[in-house]
PDB file of all heavy atoms in Angstrom:
ATOM      1  N   TYR T  57      -7.226  -9.473 -15.256  1.00 75.00           N
ATOM      2  CA  TYR T  57      -6.283  -8.742 -16.093  1.00 75.00           C
ATOM      3  C   TYR T  57      -6.808  -8.542 -17.506  1.00 75.00           C
ATOM      4  O   TYR T  57      -6.445  -7.567 -18.173  1.00 75.00           O
ATOM      5  CB  TYR T  57      -4.932  -9.470 -16.109  1.00 75.00           C
ATOM      6  CG  TYR T  57      -4.198  -9.298 -14.807  1.00 75.00           C
ATOM      7  CD1 TYR T  57      -4.307 -10.247 -13.787  1.00 75.00           C
ATOM      8  CD2 TYR T  57      -3.415  -8.175 -14.559  1.00 75.00           C
ATOM      9  CE1 TYR T  57      -3.654 -10.088 -12.578  1.00 75.00           C
ATOM     10  CE2 TYR T  57      -2.753  -8.000 -13.364  1.00 75.00           C
ATOM     11  CZ  TYR T  57      -2.873  -8.961 -12.371  1.00 75.00           C
ATOM     12  OH  TYR T  57      -2.230  -8.783 -11.171  1.00 75.00           O
ATOM     13  N   ARG T  60      -8.902  -5.406 -17.309  1.00 76.00           N
ATOM     14  CA  ARG T  60      -8.066  -4.208 -17.284  1.00 76.00           C
ATOM     15  C   ARG T  60      -7.503  -3.902 -18.662  1.00 76.00           C
ATOM     16  O   ARG T  60      -7.460  -2.729 -19.083  1.00 76.00           O
ATOM     17  CB  ARG T  60      -6.922  -4.396 -16.282  1.00 76.00           C
ATOM     18  CG  ARG T  60      -7.369  -4.452 -14.831  1.00 76.00           C
ATOM     19  CD  ARG T  60      -6.179  -4.640 -13.916  1.00 76.00           C
ATOM     20  NE  ARG T  60      -6.594  -4.805 -12.529  1.00 76.00           N
ATOM     21  CZ  ARG T  60      -5.757  -5.060 -11.524  1.00 76.00           C
ATOM     22  NH1 ARG T  60      -4.461  -5.159 -11.773  1.00 76.00           N
ATOM     23  NH2 ARG T  60      -6.202  -5.191 -10.293  1.00 76.00           N
ATOM     24  N   ALA T  61      -7.061  -4.937 -19.358  1.00 79.00           N
ATOM     25  CA  ALA T  61      -6.500  -4.729 -20.699  1.00 79.00           C
ATOM     26  C   ALA T  61      -7.562  -4.194 -21.646  1.00 79.00           C
ATOM     27  O   ALA T  61      -7.296  -3.297 -22.462  1.00 79.00           O
ATOM     28  CB  ALA T  61      -5.914  -6.041 -21.229  1.00 79.00           C
ATOM     29  N   MET T  63     -10.275  -2.456 -20.860  1.00 80.00           N
ATOM     30  CA  MET T  63     -10.588  -1.077 -20.504  1.00 80.00           C
ATOM     31  C   MET T  63      -9.499  -0.130 -20.997  1.00 80.00           C
ATOM     32  O   MET T  63      -9.798   0.955 -21.527  1.00 80.00           O
ATOM     33  CB  MET T  63     -10.756  -0.951 -18.989  1.00 80.00           C
ATOM     34  CG  MET T  63     -12.010  -1.611 -18.437  1.00 80.00           C
ATOM     35  SD  MET T  63     -12.103  -1.504 -16.629  1.00 80.00           S
ATOM     36  CE  MET T  63     -12.103   0.267 -16.393  1.00 80.00           C
ATOM     37  N   SER T  64      -8.249  -0.528 -20.843  1.00 78.00           N
ATOM     38  CA  SER T  64      -7.143   0.323 -21.299  1.00 78.00           C
ATOM     39  C   SER T  64      -7.187   0.506 -22.808  1.00 78.00           C
ATOM     40  O   SER T  64      -6.991   1.622 -23.313  1.00 78.00           O
ATOM     41  CB  SER T  64      -5.798  -0.301 -20.885  1.00 78.00           C
ATOM     42  OG  SER T  64      -5.707  -0.419 -19.484  1.00 78.00           O
ATOM     43  N   ILE T  67     -10.138   2.861 -23.743  1.00 81.00           N
ATOM     44  CA  ILE T  67      -9.832   4.265 -23.455  1.00 81.00           C
ATOM     45  C   ILE T  67      -8.858   4.826 -24.488  1.00 81.00           C
ATOM     46  O   ILE T  67      -9.023   5.952 -24.987  1.00 81.00           O
ATOM     47  CB  ILE T  67      -9.257   4.405 -22.033  1.00 81.00           C
ATOM     48  CG1 ILE T  67     -10.341   4.116 -20.997  1.00 81.00           C
ATOM     49  CG2 ILE T  67      -8.678   5.800 -21.812  1.00 81.00           C
ATOM     50  CD1 ILE T  67      -9.827   4.043 -19.580  1.00 81.00           C
ATOM     51  N   ALA T  84      -9.868  10.126 -17.840  1.00 81.00           N
ATOM     52  CA  ALA T  84      -9.524   8.842 -17.223  1.00 81.00           C
ATOM     53  C   ALA T  84      -8.491   9.035 -16.122  1.00 81.00           C
ATOM     54  O   ALA T  84      -8.545   8.387 -15.073  1.00 81.00           O
ATOM     55  CB  ALA T  84      -9.004   7.878 -18.283  1.00 81.00           C
ATOM     56  N   SER T  85      -7.547   9.961 -16.347  1.00 80.00           N
ATOM     57  CA  SER T  85      -6.530  10.250 -15.331  1.00 80.00           C
ATOM     58  C   SER T  85      -7.164  10.864 -14.090  1.00 80.00           C
ATOM     59  O   SER T  85      -6.824  10.513 -12.957  1.00 80.00           O
ATOM     60  CB  SER T  85      -5.474  11.200 -15.903  1.00 80.00           C
ATOM     61  OG  SER T  85      -4.842  10.644 -17.027  1.00 80.00           O
ATOM     62  N   TYR T  87     -10.315  10.556 -13.048  1.00 81.00           N
ATOM     63  CA  TYR T  87     -11.110   9.542 -12.361  1.00 81.00           C
ATOM     64  C   TYR T  87     -10.222   8.590 -11.570  1.00 81.00           C
ATOM     65  O   TYR T  87     -10.539   8.203 -10.437  1.00 81.00           O
ATOM     66  CB  TYR T  87     -11.932   8.759 -13.388  1.00 81.00           C
ATOM     67  CG  TYR T  87     -12.746   7.633 -12.795  1.00 81.00           C
ATOM     68  CD1 TYR T  87     -13.961   7.876 -12.167  1.00 81.00           C
ATOM     69  CD2 TYR T  87     -12.288   6.316 -12.862  1.00 81.00           C
ATOM     70  CE1 TYR T  87     -14.695   6.841 -11.608  1.00 81.00           C
ATOM     71  CE2 TYR T  87     -13.019   5.284 -12.310  1.00 81.00           C
ATOM     72  CZ  TYR T  87     -14.220   5.543 -11.686  1.00 81.00           C
ATOM     73  OH  TYR T  87     -14.937   4.514 -11.133  1.00 81.00           O
ATOM     74  N   THR T  88      -9.093   8.224 -12.156  1.00 76.00           N
ATOM     75  CA  THR T  88      -8.186   7.276 -11.511  1.00 76.00           C
ATOM     76  C   THR T  88      -7.526   7.871 -10.279  1.00 76.00           C
ATOM     77  O   THR T  88      -7.433   7.223  -9.234  1.00 76.00           O
ATOM     78  CB  THR T  88      -7.110   6.819 -12.514  1.00 76.00           C
ATOM     79  OG1 THR T  88      -7.742   6.176 -13.629  1.00 76.00           O
ATOM     80  CG2 THR T  88      -6.131   5.852 -11.866  1.00 76.00           C
ATOM     81  N   PHE T  89      -7.074   9.122 -10.386  1.00 76.00           N
ATOM     82  CA  PHE T  89      -6.276   9.708  -9.319  1.00 76.00           C
ATOM     83  C   PHE T  89      -7.101  10.429  -8.266  1.00 76.00           C
ATOM     84  O   PHE T  89      -6.578  10.756  -7.201  1.00 76.00           O
ATOM     85  CB  PHE T  89      -5.254  10.687  -9.914  1.00 76.00           C
ATOM     86  CG  PHE T  89      -4.054  10.005 -10.477  1.00 76.00           C
ATOM     87  CD1 PHE T  89      -4.058   9.562 -11.784  1.00 76.00           C
ATOM     88  CD2 PHE T  89      -2.941   9.778  -9.703  1.00 76.00           C
ATOM     89  CE1 PHE T  89      -2.954   8.925 -12.310  1.00 76.00           C
ATOM     90  CE2 PHE T  89      -1.830   9.141 -10.221  1.00 76.00           C
ATOM     91  CZ  PHE T  89      -1.838   8.708 -11.530  1.00 76.00           C
ATOM     92  N   LEU T 113       0.556  10.762 -21.236  1.00 79.00           N
ATOM     93  CA  LEU T 113      -0.560  10.332 -20.392  1.00 79.00           C
ATOM     94  C   LEU T 113      -0.651   8.817 -20.328  1.00 79.00           C
ATOM     95  O   LEU T 113      -0.986   8.245 -19.287  1.00 79.00           O
ATOM     96  CB  LEU T 113      -1.872  10.920 -20.919  1.00 79.00           C
ATOM     97  CG  LEU T 113      -2.125  12.392 -20.595  1.00 79.00           C
ATOM     98  CD1 LEU T 113      -3.412  12.861 -21.252  1.00 79.00           C
ATOM     99  CD2 LEU T 113      -2.185  12.626 -19.101  1.00 79.00           C
ATOM    100  N   VAL T 114      -0.369   8.156 -21.445  1.00 80.00           N
ATOM    101  CA  VAL T 114      -0.384   6.700 -21.460  1.00 80.00           C
ATOM    102  C   VAL T 114       0.675   6.154 -20.510  1.00 80.00           C
ATOM    103  O   VAL T 114       0.420   5.233 -19.711  1.00 80.00           O
ATOM    104  CB  VAL T 114      -0.162   6.172 -22.890  1.00 80.00           C
ATOM    105  CG1 VAL T 114       0.047   4.662 -22.874  1.00 80.00           C
ATOM    106  CG2 VAL T 114      -1.343   6.536 -23.779  1.00 80.00           C
ATOM    107  N   VAL T 115       1.871   6.726 -20.563  1.00 82.00           N
ATOM    108  CA  VAL T 115       2.945   6.302 -19.662  1.00 82.00           C
ATOM    109  C   VAL T 115       2.569   6.585 -18.214  1.00 82.00           C
ATOM    110  O   VAL T 115       2.823   5.771 -17.317  1.00 82.00           O
ATOM    111  CB  VAL T 115       4.266   7.018 -20.031  1.00 82.00           C
ATOM    112  CG1 VAL T 115       5.335   6.768 -18.965  1.00 82.00           C
ATOM    113  CG2 VAL T 115       4.758   6.548 -21.388  1.00 82.00           C
ATOM    114  N   PHE T 116       1.931   7.720 -17.983  1.00 80.00           N
ATOM    115  CA  PHE T 116       1.517   8.111 -16.633  1.00 80.00           C
ATOM    116  C   PHE T 116       0.519   7.116 -16.052  1.00 80.00           C
ATOM    117  O   PHE T 116       0.666   6.636 -14.922  1.00 80.00           O
ATOM    118  CB  PHE T 116       0.910   9.511 -16.703  1.00 80.00           C
ATOM    119  CG  PHE T 116       0.719  10.148 -15.361  1.00 80.00           C
ATOM    120  CD1 PHE T 116       1.794  10.439 -14.548  1.00 80.00           C
ATOM    121  CD2 PHE T 116      -0.556  10.463 -14.907  1.00 80.00           C
ATOM    122  CE1 PHE T 116       1.620  11.036 -13.313  1.00 80.00           C
ATOM    123  CE2 PHE T 116      -0.739  11.059 -13.675  1.00 80.00           C
ATOM    124  CZ  PHE T 116       0.349  11.348 -12.877  1.00 80.00           C
ATOM    125  N   LEU T 117      -0.505   6.789 -16.832  1.00 80.00           N
ATOM    126  CA  LEU T 117      -1.511   5.831 -16.370  1.00 80.00           C
ATOM    127  C   LEU T 117      -0.909   4.436 -16.210  1.00 80.00           C
ATOM    128  O   LEU T 117      -1.245   3.712 -15.267  1.00 80.00           O
ATOM    129  CB  LEU T 117      -2.676   5.791 -17.351  1.00 80.00           C
ATOM    130  CG  LEU T 117      -3.589   7.029 -17.348  1.00 80.00           C
ATOM    131  CD1 LEU T 117      -4.587   6.953 -18.495  1.00 80.00           C
ATOM    132  CD2 LEU T 117      -4.325   7.158 -16.023  1.00 80.00           C
ATOM    133  N   GLN T 118      -0.025   4.071 -17.121  1.00 81.00           N
ATOM    134  CA  GLN T 118       0.618   2.760 -17.020  1.00 81.00           C
ATOM    135  C   GLN T 118       1.434   2.663 -15.733  1.00 81.00           C
ATOM    136  O   GLN T 118       1.431   1.629 -15.059  1.00 81.00           O
ATOM    137  CB  GLN T 118       1.515   2.526 -18.233  1.00 81.00           C
ATOM    138  CG  GLN T 118       2.206   1.171 -18.222  1.00 81.00           C
ATOM    139  CD  GLN T 118       3.212   1.016 -19.344  1.00 81.00           C
ATOM    140  OE1 GLN T 118       3.814   1.985 -19.783  1.00 81.00           O
ATOM    141  NE2 GLN T 118       3.399  -0.196 -19.817  1.00 81.00           N
ATOM    142  N   SER T 119       2.131   3.738 -15.386  1.00 83.00           N
ATOM    143  CA  SER T 119       2.928   3.743 -14.159  1.00 83.00           C
ATOM    144  C   SER T 119       2.033   3.592 -12.933  1.00 83.00           C
ATOM    145  O   SER T 119       2.389   2.883 -11.978  1.00 83.00           O
ATOM    146  CB  SER T 119       3.731   5.045 -14.058  1.00 83.00           C
ATOM    147  OG  SER T 119       4.618   5.177 -15.140  1.00 83.00           O
ATOM    148  N   TYR T 120       0.885   4.238 -12.957  1.00 83.00           N
ATOM    149  CA  TYR T 120      -0.034   4.148 -11.822  1.00 83.00           C
ATOM    150  C   TYR T 120      -0.530   2.720 -11.618  1.00 83.00           C
ATOM    151  O   TYR T 120      -0.449   2.173 -10.517  1.00 83.00           O
ATOM    152  CB  TYR T 120      -1.219   5.088 -12.026  1.00 83.00           C
ATOM    153  CG  TYR T 120      -2.295   4.920 -10.980  1.00 83.00           C
ATOM    154  CD1 TYR T 120      -2.111   5.383  -9.685  1.00 83.00           C
ATOM    155  CD2 TYR T 120      -3.484   4.265 -11.290  1.00 83.00           C
ATOM    156  CE1 TYR T 120      -3.097   5.220  -8.722  1.00 83.00           C
ATOM    157  CE2 TYR T 120      -4.472   4.104 -10.324  1.00 83.00           C
ATOM    158  CZ  TYR T 120      -4.274   4.581  -9.055  1.00 83.00           C
ATOM    159  OH  TYR T 120      -5.241   4.398  -8.106  1.00 83.00           O
ATOM    160  N   PHE T 121      -1.033   2.118 -12.689  1.00 83.00           N
ATOM    161  CA  PHE T 121      -1.591   0.771 -12.550  1.00 83.00           C
ATOM    162  C   PHE T 121      -0.496  -0.261 -12.281  1.00 83.00           C
ATOM    163  O   PHE T 121      -0.722  -1.233 -11.548  1.00 83.00           O
ATOM    164  CB  PHE T 121      -2.390   0.404 -13.801  1.00 83.00           C
ATOM    165  CG  PHE T 121      -3.697   1.133 -13.913  1.00 83.00           C
ATOM    166  CD1 PHE T 121      -3.898   2.093 -14.888  1.00 83.00           C
ATOM    167  CD2 PHE T 121      -4.724   0.881 -13.010  1.00 83.00           C
ATOM    168  CE1 PHE T 121      -5.103   2.782 -14.971  1.00 83.00           C
ATOM    169  CE2 PHE T 121      -5.930   1.560 -13.083  1.00 83.00           C
ATOM    170  CZ  PHE T 121      -6.125   2.514 -14.075  1.00 83.00           C
ATOM    171  N   SER T 122       0.685  -0.043 -12.837  1.00 86.00           N
ATOM    172  CA  SER T 122       1.781  -0.970 -12.579  1.00 86.00           C
ATOM    173  C   SER T 122       2.251  -0.872 -11.134  1.00 86.00           C
ATOM    174  O   SER T 122       2.597  -1.884 -10.513  1.00 86.00           O
ATOM    175  CB  SER T 122       2.952  -0.687 -13.525  1.00 86.00           C
ATOM    176  OG  SER T 122       2.576  -0.897 -14.864  1.00 86.00           O
ATOM    177  N   SER T 123       2.254   0.343 -10.576  1.00 87.00           N
ATOM    178  CA  SER T 123       2.657   0.501  -9.176  1.00 87.00           C
ATOM    179  C   SER T 123       1.637  -0.152  -8.248  1.00 87.00           C
ATOM    180  O   SER T 123       1.992  -0.720  -7.207  1.00 87.00           O
ATOM    181  CB  SER T 123       2.826   1.984  -8.832  1.00 87.00           C
ATOM    182  OG  SER T 123       1.588   2.669  -8.847  1.00 87.00           O
ATOM    183  N   ARG T 124       0.349  -0.091  -8.619  1.00 86.00           N
ATOM    184  CA  ARG T 124      -0.682  -0.777  -7.833  1.00 86.00           C
ATOM    185  C   ARG T 124      -0.452  -2.287  -7.840  1.00 86.00           C
ATOM    186  O   ARG T 124      -0.548  -2.950  -6.800  1.00 86.00           O
ATOM    187  CB  ARG T 124      -2.065  -0.462  -8.390  1.00 86.00           C
ATOM    188  CG  ARG T 124      -2.582   0.900  -8.042  1.00 86.00           C
ATOM    189  CD  ARG T 124      -3.989   1.121  -8.540  1.00 86.00           C
ATOM    190  NE  ARG T 124      -4.924   0.109  -8.028  1.00 86.00           N
ATOM    191  CZ  ARG T 124      -6.221   0.110  -8.285  1.00 86.00           C
ATOM    192  NH1 ARG T 124      -6.738   1.045  -9.057  1.00 86.00           N
ATOM    193  NH2 ARG T 124      -6.999  -0.812  -7.769  1.00 86.00           N
ATOM    194  N   SER T 125      -0.159  -2.832  -9.002  1.00 87.00           N
ATOM    195  CA  SER T 125       0.098  -4.277  -9.101  1.00 87.00           C
ATOM    196  C   SER T 125       1.333  -4.657  -8.305  1.00 87.00           C
ATOM    197  O   SER T 125       1.367  -5.710  -7.654  1.00 87.00           O
ATOM    198  CB  SER T 125       0.268  -4.684 -10.568  1.00 87.00           C
ATOM    199  OG  SER T 125      -0.911  -4.432 -11.303  1.00 87.00           O
ATOM    200  N   LEU T 126       2.356  -3.803  -8.352  1.00 90.00           N
ATOM    201  CA  LEU T 126       3.583  -4.060  -7.592  1.00 90.00           C
ATOM    202  C   LEU T 126       3.289  -4.101  -6.100  1.00 90.00           C
ATOM    203  O   LEU T 126       3.779  -4.983  -5.378  1.00 90.00           O
ATOM    204  CB  LEU T 126       4.624  -2.991  -7.905  1.00 90.00           C
ATOM    205  CG  LEU T 126       5.919  -3.042  -7.085  1.00 90.00           C
ATOM    206  CD1 LEU T 126       6.662  -4.358  -7.354  1.00 90.00           C
ATOM    207  CD2 LEU T 126       6.807  -1.849  -7.404  1.00 90.00           C
ATOM    208  N   MET T 127       2.480  -3.161  -5.601  1.00 91.00           N
ATOM    209  CA  MET T 127       2.176  -3.132  -4.178  1.00 91.00           C
ATOM    210  C   MET T 127       1.387  -4.364  -3.757  1.00 91.00           C
ATOM    211  O   MET T 127       1.623  -4.922  -2.676  1.00 91.00           O
ATOM    212  CB  MET T 127       1.380  -1.874  -3.835  1.00 91.00           C
ATOM    213  CG  MET T 127       2.204  -0.604  -3.757  1.00 91.00           C
ATOM    214  SD  MET T 127       3.675  -0.738  -2.715  1.00 91.00           S
ATOM    215  CE  MET T 127       3.007  -1.341  -1.181  1.00 91.00           C
ATOM    216  N   ARG T 128       0.470  -4.799  -4.589  1.00 90.00           N
ATOM    217  CA  ARG T 128      -0.287  -6.012  -4.255  1.00 90.00           C
ATOM    218  C   ARG T 128       0.640  -7.219  -4.181  1.00 90.00           C
ATOM    219  O   ARG T 128       0.473  -8.100  -3.327  1.00 90.00           O
ATOM    220  CB  ARG T 128      -1.400  -6.237  -5.280  1.00 90.00           C
ATOM    221  CG  ARG T 128      -2.532  -5.231  -5.154  1.00 90.00           C
ATOM    222  CD  ARG T 128      -3.643  -5.472  -6.148  1.00 90.00           C
ATOM    223  NE  ARG T 128      -4.716  -4.505  -5.981  1.00 90.00           N
ATOM    224  CZ  ARG T 128      -5.737  -4.647  -5.154  1.00 90.00           C
ATOM    225  NH1 ARG T 128      -5.828  -5.749  -4.424  1.00 90.00           N
ATOM    226  NH2 ARG T 128      -6.678  -3.729  -5.053  1.00 90.00           N
ATOM    227  N   GLU T 153      -4.709   4.208  -0.070  1.00 85.00           N
ATOM    228  CA  GLU T 153      -4.392   4.270  -1.500  1.00 85.00           C
ATOM    229  C   GLU T 153      -3.333   5.312  -1.834  1.00 85.00           C
ATOM    230  O   GLU T 153      -2.409   5.059  -2.603  1.00 85.00           O
ATOM    231  CB  GLU T 153      -5.671   4.550  -2.296  1.00 85.00           C
ATOM    232  CG  GLU T 153      -5.526   4.263  -3.777  1.00 85.00           C
ATOM    233  CD  GLU T 153      -6.870   4.183  -4.467  1.00 85.00           C
ATOM    234  OE1 GLU T 153      -7.886   4.577  -3.868  1.00 85.00           O
ATOM    235  OE2 GLU T 153      -6.897   3.740  -5.624  1.00 85.00           O
ATOM    236  N   PHE T 157       0.338   4.362  -3.310  1.00 85.00           N
ATOM    237  CA  PHE T 157       0.737   4.835  -4.637  1.00 85.00           C
ATOM    238  C   PHE T 157       2.098   5.516  -4.584  1.00 85.00           C
ATOM    239  O   PHE T 157       2.989   5.229  -5.392  1.00 85.00           O
ATOM    240  CB  PHE T 157      -0.311   5.796  -5.195  1.00 85.00           C
ATOM    241  CG  PHE T 157       0.165   6.562  -6.403  1.00 85.00           C
ATOM    242  CD1 PHE T 157       0.424   5.907  -7.600  1.00 85.00           C
ATOM    243  CD2 PHE T 157       0.374   7.937  -6.329  1.00 85.00           C
ATOM    244  CE1 PHE T 157       0.878   6.603  -8.710  1.00 85.00           C
ATOM    245  CE2 PHE T 157       0.826   8.637  -7.438  1.00 85.00           C
ATOM    246  CZ  PHE T 157       1.075   7.974  -8.630  1.00 85.00           C
ATOM    247  N   VAL T 161       5.129   3.726  -6.657  1.00 88.00           N
ATOM    248  CA  VAL T 161       5.543   4.294  -7.942  1.00 88.00           C
ATOM    249  C   VAL T 161       7.053   4.569  -7.964  1.00 88.00           C
ATOM    250  O   VAL T 161       7.696   4.440  -9.013  1.00 88.00           O
ATOM    251  CB  VAL T 161       4.739   5.576  -8.260  1.00 88.00           C
ATOM    252  CG1 VAL T 161       5.174   6.746  -7.384  1.00 88.00           C
ATOM    253  CG2 VAL T 161       4.859   5.933  -9.742  1.00 88.00           C
ATOM    254  N   TYR T 164       8.635   1.281  -8.649  1.00 90.00           N
ATOM    255  CA  TYR T 164       8.333   0.865 -10.027  1.00 90.00           C
ATOM    256  C   TYR T 164       9.284   1.532 -11.022  1.00 90.00           C
ATOM    257  O   TYR T 164       9.781   0.885 -11.948  1.00 90.00           O
ATOM    258  CB  TYR T 164       6.891   1.204 -10.371  1.00 90.00           C
ATOM    259  CG  TYR T 164       6.582   1.077 -11.840  1.00 90.00           C
ATOM    260  CD1 TYR T 164       6.459  -0.187 -12.430  1.00 90.00           C
ATOM    261  CD2 TYR T 164       6.435   2.199 -12.647  1.00 90.00           C
ATOM    262  CE1 TYR T 164       6.193  -0.311 -13.792  1.00 90.00           C
ATOM    263  CE2 TYR T 164       6.168   2.083 -14.000  1.00 90.00           C
ATOM    264  CZ  TYR T 164       6.052   0.824 -14.560  1.00 90.00           C
ATOM    265  OH  TYR T 164       5.803   0.709 -15.906  1.00 90.00           O
TER     266      TYR T 164
END
Side-chain angles (χ1 to χ4, degrees):
Y57 286 94
R60 292 180 185 176
M63 290 177 60
S64 299
I67 291 172
S85 301
Y87 177 80
T88 300
F89 280 87
L113 283 176
V114 171
V115 171
F116 193 63
L117 288 172
Q118 181 187 30
S119 299
Y120 173 74
F121 287 111
S122 297
S123 68
R124 284 184 57 178
S125 298
L126 174 63
M127 283 309 307
R128 289 181 179 272
E153 196 165 13
F157 167 67
V161 73
Y164 168 74

